[in-house]
Amino acid sequence: MDLDSKGKGIPFKFYAAYYPPVYTKFKANNITELIRGIANVDKFSIFYHVFHPMLSSHVVPEDLPNDFAFWLRESLHDEYLAEVVADVEGGEPLQIEDIRKEIIELLNTSTTEKVADYPFVFISCQPIIYPLNIEARTLAEFIDAIGRVPARSLFYHFVYRRVMGESKRNEFTLWLEENFGLIDLGEKLSTIDPQSYTDEEKFRTDLLNLFEEELLR
């Protein structure tokens, strides 16, 4: 593969996003109330509690990569249910409503009536999306950009757009396939589960390693 090729000439325009928290009216003191809250909050709240830890690696334990699992262990002291909910996947083709449904199904297996030490406070968010004024027209420019754009940009294109239903797949895969016909590389990207990361820089490193393995050999 010629790294200086422009393929079909479609540029990849990098954006990034912040996810400022917005408090909702929902709180939960036990499993029943947690299920009710998860069923009723908006999709931005589910997104926030499941995925924001990927951008908050300094405050999130590696074994509990979402807020629901953390609360189940730390406040309700249900180690088993916390581990089960921690294993919820977020890879393609799952979208946020699939993830909401799975978490509710897992919680419904519990019969505990314990009251938590402190409530789970549901937070939603209002994404603020902004352009980075960085474009990649060749594979070389793309790899260079992946190495230097903010982690929030990688997260926006690889996770947010897809799980929120704004893109059918992660946008890196779409561009590599549509512009260069790199089907195998696109498929390998699509197998990455963002829920397996609580360190955004480890995620960037794995992306770069994959590009180097596939494009520089």
Side-chain angles (χ1 to χ4, degrees), residues 15-74:
Y15 289 77
Y18 283 96
Y19 308 93
V22 177
Y23 288 98
T24 73
K25 298 179 180 178
F26 293 94
K27 291 184 179 180
N29 290 287
N30 54 41
I31 291 292
T32 299
E33 291 176 1
L34 185 65
I35 293 171
R36 185 183 305 133
I38 292 172
N40 286 285
V41 292
D42 63 30
K43 64 180 182 180
F44 294 101
S45 180
I46 302 299
F47 166 79
Y48 182 87
H49 288 299
V50 172
F51 288 102
H52 92 86
M54 190 175 171
L55 294 172
S56 307
S57 57
H58 58 294
V59 297
V60 178
E62 290 187 0
D63 61 330
L64 297 175
N66 68 64
D67 290 342
F68 301 121
F70 184 82
W71 182 79
L72 287 166
R73 185 177 76 181
E74 299 299 316

Side-chain angles (χ1 to χ4, degrees), residues 98-143:
D98 302 312
I99 297 167
R100 184 203 302 262
K101 180 181 178 182
E102 181 178 357
I103 293 174
I104 290 175
E105 289 176 350
L106 292 171
L107 293 175
N108 271 326
T109 64
S110 174
T111 58
T112 182
E113 297 180 355
K114 288 193 297 185
V115 176
D117 292 347
Y118 58 85
F120 186 95
V121 179
F122 284 90
I123 295 172
S124 186
C125 62
Q126 293 181 337
I128 298 175
I129 300 159
Y130 56 97
L132 294 178
N133 296 321
I134 297 175
E135 287 188 10
R137 294 180 179 275
T138 68
L139 291 170
E141 291 174 352
F142 181 69
I143 294 173

Side-chain angles (χ1 to χ4, degrees), residues 130-209:
Y130 56 97
L132 294 178
N133 296 321
I134 297 175
E135 287 188 10
R137 294 180 179 275
T138 68
L139 291 170
E141 291 174 352
F142 181 69
I143 294 173
D144 177 70
I146 292 294
R148 64 189 175 92
V149 296
R152 289 180 176 278
S153 179
L154 304 180
F155 183 83
Y156 174 75
H157 290 292
F158 194 85
V159 182
Y160 177 82
R161 294 272 296 166
R162 189 260 306 171
V163 300
M164 299 304 279
E166 296 179 4
S167 177
K168 291 182 179 179
R169 306 181 71 182
N170 79 78
E171 294 189 321
F172 298 151
T173 286
L174 288 176
W175 186 69
L176 290 166
E177 291 186 351
E178 292 177 0
N179 199 44
F180 296 99
L182 292 170
I183 305 300
D184 290 344
L185 175 55
E187 290 296 332
K188 288 181 180 179
L189 274 173
S190 294
T191 64
I192 296 175
D193 182 358
Q195 278 305 93
S196 62
Y197 290 90
T198 55
D199 183 334
E200 60 267 32
E201 290 307 321
K202 177 65 168 58
F203 175 60
R204 184 199 305 275
T205 298
D206 284 357
L207 289 180
L208 290 172
N209 287 340

